[in-house]
Amino acid sequence: MKKLQNYIDGKFHAPISGAYIDNVDPSRGTVYSLIPDSGQEDIMMAANAAKAAFPKWSGLSIEERSKILVRFSQGIEDRMDEFVAAESMDNGKPVSLARQVDIPRAVSNLHFFATAILHFASESHYMEGVGINYTTRKPIGVVGCISPWNLPLYLFTWKIAPALAAGNCVVAKPSEITPYTAYLLSEVAAEIGMPPGVLNIVHGLGSNAGDAIVKHPDIKAISFTGGTATGAYIAKTAGPMFKKLSLELGGKNPNIIFADCDFDDMLSTTVRSSFANQGQICLCGSRIFIERPIYDKFKIAFAEKVSRMKVGIPSDPNTKQGAVVSKDHMEKVMSYIALAKEEGGSIVAGGNQVTLEAPYEHGFYLEPTVIEGLSFDCRTNQEEIFGPVVTLCPFDTEEEVLKMANSTQYGLAATVWTSDLKRAHRVANQIHSGIVWVNSWLVRDLRTPFGGVKSSGVGREGGWEALKFFTEPKNIFIKN
Ligand code: NDP
C-alpha cells in the first residue's frame, strides 16, 4: 500500500515516529494509502528548514520568486489528470467537480499570487513642510498554513501561494482526511526546483502535527481554515504568543429568495448552492428563506430537481452527488436529519443513506435532503451541518427575513435573489456576513476580500488582503 511521505527541506521523509494513519477512499469505505502520523519533532525539523531557507528566499528578487511560482502552478497543470483523480479518490467528490473546480482553482491560486506580487506596492504619506513617511512590507519569516478536507488542494494553495509570493517560508499541513493532492504538490515542488526548505508539507493529525505548528515559537503567523471550535482553540493557543492569525471558520449561510426573482435562474443556482460538493462547502446556502407567495411553487420545483440528482460513484460523469468525506461525517449528518425530525421538521426530499452496488456498498453516500417546518432558531437551523442538508422557511417581510438570516453565531456568506435593485442593496447591506452574492452564488474574483464575521472568522484572504496578512508593515519617517 502506498505510504505518503512528508516533504521537508526539499526531501521526502518518513515520519520520525514511524507511525502511519489510514487514508480511506470514501467512495468504497476502504483504506487505500497510509499517511505519516507526524508530530512535534517532524514540525521542528520543518520549521528549522524553513528558517534556514528564509534569508535566501526572501532575498530573491520579486521577479525570481514569481517565476518559480508560475512554474509551480504549471507543474500542477501538467499533471492535471493525476491531481483530479487523486482529489476525487481522497474526498469522494465527483471527478467532474475536481476537474472543473478544485484543481483548476489550485493552478489559478498559484498563478494569481505569482503575478499579483509583481504589482504589490507599499504606501507613502507625505507631511507638508514636515517630512515623509514610507511604509515597507517585509515577509514575516516562517508561517504555518493549516487547511481542511472539503476543498483540499484549492484551500491549501489559497494559503501557500500568497505566503510564498510575499517571501515567507512555509510549514503546511493538509487535513489528514484528504492528504493526497498535498503530497502530489510536494512532488511538483521537487520537480520544478523549489529551493529546499521554502515549502515544507507535513502530514498528520490536527491534534498532533497541527497543534505543533500552532505552538512552535519560530512560526510567526498561522493561516487556518477549518471548524469554529478548532479556530477558537488556535486563537487561545497562539494569541498569547502574539502570532498573526487569519481564521476562516464555519458558516450557516442564508439564501434569501424574494418573489420577484428570476425563478429559473434562482432554482438551478439554488440546487448548486445547496448541494455542490455534497453540501460540504463553507459557502453553501444551507438555510433557504422563501417569500411566502412563491413558497409552494419553489418547494415543489426544488424537491423535484433535488430528487432527480444522481447519487453515485465519483467517476460516473452523470453523478451529481458523490460520497461524503468520511463515515464519521456521514453519521454526523444523519444525526442532524434525525434531530430535525425530533424538532418537528418534515422531509421534503431525501433524508436517507444510499447503498450502491459492490464494490461501492460500503461507501459514504447520502441523499440530498430538504427539510421544512422548522423554527428559525432551532438547533438544526443554528448549527453547522456541513453536508447535503438544507432547510426551507417562508417569510413575509424584509425585516422578518433579516432577523432570521442574522440569527446564527455565523456570518460567512449570504445569497439574495431579487430583481429590485434597491432591495438588493438594502438587504445586502443589512446581512451580517463577509460576503453577499446577489442573483448568483460562488462567483469568485481572487482580488476580492474573502472571509467572515462573528464566529465565521477573523481577517480576510484574497488579493491584497492576503499579501498584507503575510507581510509585516514598518513605517519609516524622515524629517524634511
Ligand atoms: P477542522 O477544524 O476539524 O480541521 C481543519 C484543519 O485543522 C485540519 O487540517 C485539521 O487536521 C487541523 N486541526 C484540527 N485540530 C487542530 C489543532 N488543535 N491544532 C491545529 N490544527 C488542527 O475542520 P474540518 O477539516 O472538519 O473542515 C470543515 C470546517 O471547515 C467546517 O466548519 C467549514 O465550515 C470550515 N471551512 C471554512 C471555510 C472558510 O473559508 N471560512 C472554507 C472551508 C471550510 P486534521 O483534519 O488532520 O485533524
Side-chain angles (χ1 to χ4, degrees):
M1 192 170 298
K2 173 89 177 169
K3 276 185 177 168
L4 306 193
Q5 290 184 301
N6 291 329
Y7 179 67
I8 299 174
D9 207 13
K11 294 183 207 73
F12 290 92
H13 295 269
I16 291 171
S17 67
Y20 287 83
I21 310 162
D22 290 343
N23 188 19
V24 174
D25 165 3
S27 76
R28 295 169 193 250
T30 50
V31 177
Y32 80 103
S33 63
L34 296 171
I35 314 153
D37 186 4
S38 314
Q40 204 186 358
E41 286 174 306
D42 306 85
I43 295 298
M44 194 105 78
M45 200 164 124
N48 286 343
K51 203 172 166 185
F54 178 67
K56 201 161 169 205
W57 179 247
S58 57
L60 286 183
S61 71
I62 287 173
E63 286 76 11
E64 283 171 294
R65 278 208 304 271
S66 171
K67 274 184 196 154
I68 293 173
L69 293 176
V70 168
R71 283 210 305 275
F72 202 20
S73 107
Q74 186 62 48
I76 304 176
E77 202 158 11
D78 292 346
R79 294 173 62 175
M80 179 63 76
D81 290 347
E82 206 182 336
F83 271 97
V84 165
E87 201 68 300
S88 168
M89 178 93 144
D90 237 11
N91 174 276
K93 66 179 70 204
V95 170
S96 57
L97 186 70
R99 186 175 298 285
Q100 279 159 26
V101 178
D102 292 79
I103 308 305
R105 176 57 192 281
V107 171
S108 304
N109 287 341
L110 282 160
H111 197 268
F112 175 83
F113 283 108
T115 50
I117 196 66
L118 300 171
H119 308 270
F120 186 50
S122 61
E123 311 88 40
S124 80
H125 298 86
Y126 182 62
M127 298 170 78
E128 192 70 42
V130 181
I132 186 163
N133 297 275
Y134 66 94
T135 308
T136 59
R137 287 197 170 271
K138 299 262 175 67
I140 297 168
V142 181
V143 300
C145 299
I146 303 176
S147 59
W149 48 259
N150 64 326
L151 301 167
L153 194 69
Y154 175 133
L155 291 174
F156 199 55
T157 51
W158 181 234
K159 296 178 177 309
I160 287 170
L164 294 176
N168 301 285
C169 292
V170 172
V171 178
K173 191 196 89 62
S175 169
E176 114 272 353
I177 302 168
T178 52
Y180 213 105
T181 48
Y183 171 71
L184 292 178
L185 188 73
S186 53
E187 287 188 357
V188 172
E191 277 160 23
I192 62 109
M194 179 74 73
V198 169
L199 172 63
N200 305 278
I201 298 177
V202 184
H203 299 271
L205 295 169
S207 53
N208 194 3
D211 196 45
I213 292 178
V214 175
K215 289 180 176 158
H216 197 293
D218 290 337
I219 300 180
K220 300 292 184 196
I222 305 287
S223 175
F224 169 81
T225 298
T228 293
T230 315
Y233 172 78
I234 291 175
K236 197 170 76 181
T237 311
M241 299 174 82
F242 306 109
K243 297 191 181 201
K244 256 185 138 175
L245 284 181
S246 168
L247 303 173
E248 297 296 337
L249 311 176
K252 186 77 178 175
N253 308 307
N255 176 7
I256 301 174
I257 301 169
F258 287 95
D260 65 355
C261 69
D262 175 335
F263 190 84
D264 292 342
D265 188 14
M266 174 277 296
L267 187 65
S268 56
T269 306
T270 295
V271 171
R272 276 196 312 116
S273 67
S274 302
F275 298 115
N277 204 39
Q278 295 70 247
Q280 303 165 136
I281 301 182
C282 52
L283 305 165
C284 279
S286 52
R287 294 177 298 146
I288 309 180
F289 298 103
I290 308 109
E291 206 174 6
R292 201 174 302 274
I294 61 162
Y295 184 84
D296 287 335
K297 179 183 172 189
F298 173 80
K299 181 174 104 174
I300 293 163
F302 186 59
E304 203 264 325
K305 264 190 182 293
V306 171
S307 308
R308 276 197 283 119
M309 291 177 84
K310 180 170 178 183
V311 180
I313 58 170
S315 57
D316 180 345
N318 296 318
T319 290
K320 296 285 182 250
Q321 291 284 284
V324 299
V325 77
S326 67
K327 187 162 185 286
D328 282 356
H329 193 55
M330 180 174 71
E331 284 166 1
K332 175 188 153 184
V333 175
M334 285 305 294
S335 77
Y336 270 103
I337 295 173
L339 174 71
K341 289 181 193 160
E342 275 167 36
E343 289 183 316
S346 5
I347 306 288
V348 174
N352 302 302
Q353 217 176 306
V354 177
T355 305
L356 300 182
E357 284 174 13
Y360 298 96
E361 72 274 30
H362 301 300
F364 314 132
Y365 299 94
L366 291 174
E367 287 175 342
T369 298
V370 183
I371 302 170
E372 69 168 352
L374 290 164
S375 68
F376 76 93
D377 55 358
C378 68
R379 279 185 56 205
T380 310
N381 270 329
Q382 293 291 315
E383 296 175 14
E384 186 184 40
I385 301 173
F386 210 57
V389 178
V390 295
T391 60
L392 309 185
C393 183
F395 69 90
D396 292 298
T397 65
E398 262 177 51
E399 196 188 10
E400 180 194 14
V401 77
L402 280 164
K403 180 182 162 206
M404 296 192 289
N406 289 335
S407 67
T408 72
Q409 64 164 316
Y410 297 107
L412 186 55
T415 312
V416 180
W417 290 93
T418 179
S419 51
D420 177 338
L421 187 59
K422 281 189 180 163
R423 173 153 58 199
H425 283 297
R426 203 165 52 232
V427 172
N429 274 299
Q430 291 180 80
I431 292 175
H432 302 160
S433 69
I435 301 157
V436 180
W437 281 289
V438 176
N439 298 332
S440 59
W441 178 69
L442 202 51
V443 177
R444 290 283 294 118
D445 177 330
L446 303 190
R447 295 169 299 180
T448 59
F450 179 91
V453 299
K454 302 196 280 184
S455 301
S456 289
V458 179
R460 292 292 181 274
E461 297 184 324
W464 299 149
E465 302 280 345
L467 292 174
K468 283 183 177 167
F469 175 75
F470 283 115
T471 51
E472 197 67 79
K474 178 195 275 182
N475 193 68
I476 298 169
F477 170 75
I478 300 182
K479 198 174 161 195
N480 266 0

